[in-house]
Amino acid sequence: MGTASVGYPFGTLAYSSHGKSGALPQYIEFSVSSFPLHLEIPRSNSASITTSKGLISRICSAPDADDFFSEKVSTPILDLVESPIILKNLSSKELEQLANEIRSELSYFKSKRGKPFKASLAVVELTIAIHHVFHAPADKILWDVGEQTYAHKLLTGRRPLIHTVRQKDGLSGFTSRFESEYDAFGAGHGCNSISAGLGMAVARDLIGKRDRIVAIISNGTTMAGQVYEAMSNAGYLDSNMIVILNDNRHSLHPKSDEGPKTSITALSSTLSKLQSSKSFRKFREVAKGVTKRFGRGMHEWAAKVDEYARGLMGPLGSTLFEELGLYYIGPVNGHNIEDLICVLQEVASLDSMGPVLIHVITEENHEAENNGSSEIVNKQQEGLGNSNSFATEIRSRTYSDCFAEALVMEAEKDKDIVTVHAGMHMEPSLQLFQDRFPDKFFDVGMAEQHAVTFSAGLSCGGLKPFCIIPSAFLQRAFDQVVHDVDRQKIPVRFVITSAGLVGSDGPTQCGAFDITFMSCLPNMVVMAPSDEVELANMVATAASVDDCPICFRYPRGTIVGMDYCLCSGSPIEIGKGKILVEGKDVALLGYGSMVQNCLKAQSLLAKLGIEVTVADARFCKPLDIKLLRQLCENHTFLITVEEGSIGGLGSHVAQFIALDGQLDGRIKWRPIVLPDNYIEHASPTEQLAVAGLTGHHIAATALSLLGRTREALLLMC
C-alpha cells in the first residue's frame, strides 16, 4: 500500500494504492478536498474507470516518449550516437546511413507534430560532416537559424527529448547556451553567427588557444547587413574561422527570366577540393610572397589575376566574398558526405588560413536514399498533408487575416497605399494584399533597417507606406525609426505583428518591448486594438494620418469574435479611449489584447458582488487625459493592464496622474505588465499564466487592493 498527495487548483488530490508490493495495484482510493473516489485498475488499456461520485468518467495516460516513438522506423546507427564523438569512428557508408536515419527521424517527427523541419532536413549531411571533422564543444559551432539545428540537437545528446521541442519545459526551438554545451551561441533572429564567431576567434588568439570556429549561415540571413559587416571585419582582422554558406537556392523574389541556378558538377566538385587543399593554399601563399619582392605594382597585378582566375572557377558572385577578405571555396554538394568531409578536413588542417567561406548547395526536399524507411515516412507525410489541408479549411481566423483584409479594403479606396514587409518569414495572410496589388507590395526579407528607411523614402515620395515588421525584429531597426522617421516626422505607418507573448517561439521572438520603445519617441502615435473591429478601425486611422508617424500592434492568434464579418474600418479620434463596462469599485484600464482579459476579470468579480469599470485605452500615446481623470475621480482603485514590458502604458499613466495630482488624492494605482524576465517557450495560455496576465490574475489583484486577500488566494487555486 502507498500514499501520496498532489496540489491542484481545485484542491489537494490525495490517493492511496492497495495491492501487493511491486505489482499493479488492485484499486486506488482518491480524495479531492472532501470528495472520496474509488478507482478500479483496469486489466487492459481499453477498460473504463468508474468513480463513486461521477467526477471522473475516464482517465487516459498522458503521452510520453515511448508512445511518441512507438511507430517510428528502425534507426540502428542513430541509436548508438549519444555524442558527436561516435561519428569519428563511422565509415563513409555508415555516415550516409546515419544521414538517412536522421532524415527519417525528422520526417517522422514532422508527421507527428507538424513542426517546421524543412531547413533541418536540408542540412543533415552538412551537420554530420561538421561533427565528424570538428571536435565540439571544444571547437565552437555557431548556427544563424534555429530551424536548421534539429539534426544538430539529435547528434548532441538531446534525442530523448526531441519530442518536447517548443513545448513547456522542453527543448528550445533554437540553439541555447543554457540548454547544451554544444550550443556555442544562441540563434533565433539570424545574422549573428559570423559576428559572434569572429569575437570568439579573436578571444582565442589573444588567450592563446587553438580551437576552431565554424559559423553556418543561410542565404536567407544574407539579406541582413550585419552579415557583411562581420565578413568585412573578419577579412580585415584575418583571424582563422570558417564560414559555411548553406545555399538552399531559395530566392526572395524568384524571376522566370533569371539564369540557371548554381549547379554541382564533377568539375566544380574537383575544383572545390583543389581550392581547399593544403598544397594549393601553400602554393598560393608562396606566390604572394614572391610577387611582393618585385614591388607593390607586381603584387597588386598578381592579386587581380588570382581574383580573376578564381572568379572563373567559382559561380557568379563568388568574388564578392573575396573582396570582403574571405577565401572562397565552392560550390560543394551539401548532400555528398565524402566531398563535405574532404573539404572540411583540408580547411581544418591549416593553422594559418584566415577567414574561409565554404559555399554549400543543399535542397530542402532532398529525400533519403531507399533504405526501407522512405516509403513509411512518405506515407506518414501524406497522412499529415491530408489532415493539414482539412485543418487549414477550418482553422480559426487570426488578427493577421483581419489586418490583411482591412488593408486591402483601404488600398482599394486609396491608390497611394503601399506595403513594405521585413522579417524572417512573411505571414501567409499578407499574400492576399500581394496578389491584389503586386506592384505595391515589397518584401525585403531580413533587412529591417532598410525596410524602415525605404518606407520613409516612399512617404517622402508621396505614397502612404505601411511598414509591417514583427515586434522582435523591429528592435533591430530602432535607430532608423528614431533618425529616419520620428525625428523628421515622416508619416510612416508601422504595423507591429507578433506582439506580446508568442508561445512556442519563446523569448527569442517575443514582442515584449515595442510599446516601451515606440512610446518614448516624441512624434510617434502609439495604439493597439482590443479586437478585430478595432484593428480594422486602426488601419483606417493610420491611413488617414499624414503629418506624423503612427504605429499599432496586434498579437498572434485567433480573433475575439468567431462570427467576424469583413467590413471597412472607420478612423478613430487620435488619443481617444472608451469605457466598455461601468462600475464604481475598481477601474481596469486595458491596452490591446489585454482588454479581453480585463473583461474576463470583470465577469469573475461581478460574481463576488464587485462592480468594475473596464476601459479600453486604445492609445498609449497620446493618452486620453479626459478618460484618465474620469477613472481617477470615480474610483478608489485603478489597475492598468498590458502585454508588454515595464515602461509602456502603465508608466505613461503613472507619469500623468502623478503630475496631474491624482495620486495626491484617494486613487490607488497598480500596474500589471510582463515580468522583468524572459518567459520560456510554452503554449500561449501557459505563458499568460506564468506572466500573471490572465483574467484570474487581474481579478486577484483587484481583490487584494480591496483587502479581500483570502478570496484572491481562493480565486488563484
Side-chain angles (χ1 to χ4, degrees):
M1 175 176 175
T3 61
S5 63
V6 183
Y8 283 98
F10 50 76
T12 299
L13 174 64
Y15 64 91
S16 59
S17 60
H18 299 263
K20 294 180 180 180
S21 176
L24 185 70
Q26 296 175 338
Y27 67 93
I28 299 177
E29 290 182 348
F30 285 85
S31 63
V32 182
S33 297
S34 59
F35 299 100
L37 309 176
H38 178 85
L39 304 185
E40 295 289 343
I41 301 301
R43 292 304 175 187
S44 68
N45 290 335
S46 59
S48 300
I49 295 179
T50 58
T51 73
S52 60
K53 291 289 184 179
L55 296 178
I56 301 177
S57 61
R58 182 182 177 90
I59 293 181
C60 299
S61 60
D64 56 20
D66 292 336
D67 295 330
F68 184 86
F69 289 114
S70 60
E71 302 173 5
K72 78 178 184 68
V73 297
S74 175
T75 53
I77 297 180
L78 181 58
D79 293 343
L80 299 175
V81 180
E82 296 181 356
S83 70
I85 197 171
I86 303 296
L87 274 61
K88 301 186 183 302
N89 298 320
L90 299 180
S91 66
S92 296
K93 185 176 181 180
E94 289 171 328
L95 291 174
E96 290 173 0
Q97 176 63 26
L98 175 63
N100 290 335
E101 292 179 10
I102 291 176
R103 186 167 278 108
S104 297
E105 182 108 339
L106 292 177
S107 298
Y108 173 81
F109 184 73
K110 178 182 177 184
S111 72
K112 297 289 284 186
R113 291 279 167 82
K115 300 296 182 184
F117 277 111
K118 272 193 173 183
S120 283
L121 289 169
V123 296
V124 170
E125 289 83 1
L126 176 59
T127 305
I128 291 173
I130 289 172
H131 281 294
H132 178 80
V133 172
F134 297 99
H135 302 273
D139 292 337
K140 305 299 187 292
I141 301 172
L142 297 86
W143 300 83
D144 239 5
V145 180
E147 283 82 358
Q148 293 183 357
T149 63
Y150 294 113
H152 166 75
K153 288 177 182 282
L154 285 174
L155 295 174
T156 53
R158 285 169 278 185
R159 187 188 180 202
L161 296 175
I162 196 68
H163 66 286
T164 69
V165 165
R166 294 174 177 265
Q167 297 180 7
K168 189 174 187 294
D169 299 325
L171 294 180
S172 169
F174 310 94
T175 56
S176 170
R177 287 163 53 85
F178 306 107
E179 183 177 287
S180 171
E181 62 179 345
Y182 292 97
D183 294 351
F185 202 78
H189 65 94
C191 81
N192 64 356
S193 65
I194 303 179
S195 297
L198 179 58
M200 293 178 187
V202 171
R204 171 203 61 201
D205 296 341
L206 292 174
I207 294 173
K209 293 184 178 180
R210 296 176 61 85
D211 51 290
R212 299 174 181 87
I213 310 297
V214 183
I216 302 98
I217 65 174
S218 69
N219 52 345
T221 58
T222 56
M223 296 298 297
Q226 184 181 350
V227 168
Y228 300 99
E229 295 170 5
M231 285 185 186
S232 178
N233 194 216
Y236 173 76
L237 295 174
D238 203 36
S239 293
N240 290 353
M241 70 176 296
I242 302 165
V243 178
I244 300 176
L245 170 58
N246 168 38
D247 182 0
N248 59 16
R249 310 192 191 199
H250 277 192
S251 174
L252 190 63
H253 302 293
K255 297 180 180 179
S256 57
D257 59 345
E258 63 184 5
K261 294 178 178 178
T262 303
S263 60
I264 302 295
T265 63
L267 176 60
S268 65
S269 178
T270 302
L271 289 174
S272 296
K273 293 176 183 178
L274 174 63
Q275 289 172 306
S276 63
S277 67
K278 186 182 297 185
S279 57
F280 180 82
R281 291 295 302 276
K282 286 185 176 180
F283 171 77
R284 190 168 180 256
E285 293 302 318
V286 170
K288 284 182 180 180
V290 171
T291 57
K292 284 182 179 179
R293 296 181 182 180
F294 288 96
R296 182 176 179 182
M298 175 61 75
H299 177 67
E300 291 180 352
W301 177 83
K304 289 181 180 179
V305 172
D306 175 68
E307 180 183 323
Y308 177 73
R310 286 170 44 70
L312 292 176
M313 293 169 63
L316 185 66
S318 60
T319 54
L320 167 64
F321 304 109
E322 294 277 342
E323 291 289 343
L324 291 170
L326 281 75
Y327 182 82
Y328 175 89
I329 298 172
V332 182
N333 186 345
H335 301 295
N336 187 318
I337 290 182
E338 288 189 358
D339 284 359
L340 287 167
I341 290 176
C342 178
V343 171
L344 291 174
Q345 283 179 336
E346 289 289 351
V347 172
S349 66
L350 295 171
D351 292 329
S352 57
M353 60 183 178
V356 173
L357 184 133
I358 304 174
H359 184 185
V360 176
I361 303 295
T362 62
E363 296 178 3
E364 289 186 347
N365 296 320
H366 183 78
E367 295 291 341
E369 295 181 6
N370 293 328
N371 61 349
S373 63
S374 300
E375 184 178 348
I376 298 174
V377 170
N378 288 338
K379 288 181 179 179
Q380 291 167 343
Q381 290 179 327
E382 287 175 10
L384 175 69
N386 294 336
S387 61
N388 278 354
S389 61
F390 175 72
T392 301
E393 292 178 6
I394 63 171
R395 74 175 179 86
S396 301
R397 287 166 53 76
T398 65
Y399 276 96
S400 185
D401 294 330
C402 297
F403 163 71
E405 292 166 3
L407 187 60
V408 166
M409 296 188 73
E410 289 298 322
E412 287 174 343
K413 296 185 293 183
D414 190 338
K415 61 181 179 60
D416 292 332
I417 289 179
V418 295
T419 62
V420 179
H421 176 268
M424 290 188 72
H425 307 289
M426 186 181 79
E427 296 185 49
S429 57
L430 295 178
Q431 191 71 40
L432 177 67
F433 189 96
Q434 186 177 25
D435 293 342
R436 182 70 179 83
F437 305 101
D439 296 332
K440 296 182 178 181
F441 185 88
F442 305 94
D443 186 9
V444 303
M446 290 182 64
E448 295 84 5
Q449 294 170 313
H450 164 66
V452 171
T453 307
F454 176 51
S455 298
L458 289 170
S459 181
C460 291
L463 297 177
K464 294 183 176 181
F466 279 74
C467 185
I468 308 167
I469 305 179
S471 176
F473 290 88
L474 183 59
Q475 295 164 185
R476 297 148 64 115
F478 185 63
D479 182 65
Q480 283 69 29
V481 174
V482 174
H483 291 288
D484 296 340
V485 177
D486 193 74
R487 192 171 61 82
Q488 301 182 67
K489 211 173 182 180
I490 296 175
V492 173
R493 299 142 191 89
F494 291 101
V495 183
I496 305 172
T497 66
S498 297
L501 301 170
V502 290
S504 62
D505 279 332
T508 305
Q509 296 183 21
C510 176
F513 310 112
D514 60 272
I515 306 175
T516 298
F517 68 68
M518 294 300 272
S519 63
C520 71
L521 301 176
N523 295 318
M524 187 71 65
V525 174
V526 183
M527 54 186 179
S530 58
D531 57 29
E532 58 278 4
V533 176
E534 287 290 286
L535 176 58
N537 291 338
M538 289 184 182
V539 172
T541 304
S544 67
V545 172
D546 59 3
D547 59 349
C548 67
I550 188 170
C551 70
F552 59 90
R553 66 179 340 229
Y554 62 80
R556 289 187 187 179
T558 58
I559 58 178
V560 177
M562 295 299 102
D563 57 346
Y564 171 71
C565 180
L566 178 63
C567 58
S568 180
S570 303
I572 304 170
E573 179 183 344
I574 298 297
K576 185 68 173 178
K578 63 178 180 179
I579 292 178
L580 304 178
V581 179
E582 287 203 58
K584 63 179 181 179
D585 298 321
V586 179
L588 301 178
L589 180 61
Y591 184 65
S593 59
M594 287 298 100
V595 171
Q596 301 304 320
N597 285 4
C598 288
L599 290 172
K600 293 176 183 177
Q602 182 270 333
S603 178
L604 290 170
L605 293 170
K607 296 176 182 178
L608 299 175
I610 301 171
E611 298 183 28
V612 177
T613 295
V614 178
D616 181 357
R618 281 178 165 171
F619 293 86
C620 177
K621 187 175 185 178
L623 289 170
D624 188 337
I625 304 303
K626 182 178 179 181
L627 174 62
L628 277 175
R629 284 175 174 157
Q630 179 182 344
L631 294 177
C632 290
E633 291 169 1
N634 297 336
H635 302 83
T636 305
F637 306 104
L638 171 64
I639 301 173
T640 56
V641 188
E642 60 191 302
E643 193 177 353
S645 66
I646 299 169
L649 174 73
S651 296
H652 285 265
V653 169
Q655 174 83 358
F656 168 73
I657 61 177
L659 295 177
D660 197 50
Q662 298 294 334
L663 290 178
D664 301 337
R666 64 169 187 160
I667 191 69
K668 294 181 180 179
W669 164 75
R670 295 291 186 273
I672 299 180
V673 299
L674 287 176
D676 193 22
N677 60 268
Y678 295 103
I679 297 176
E680 295 299 326
H681 51 278
S683 71
T685 302
E686 290 170 330
Q687 283 190 323
L688 283 173
V690 171
L693 287 171
T694 66
H696 281 73
H697 284 90
I698 298 168
T701 301
L703 287 169
S704 297
L705 278 173
L706 292 167
R708 299 166 68 165
T709 308
R710 186 172 183 278
E711 289 173 290
L713 291 173
L714 289 173
L715 191 64
M716 296 306 302
C717 290

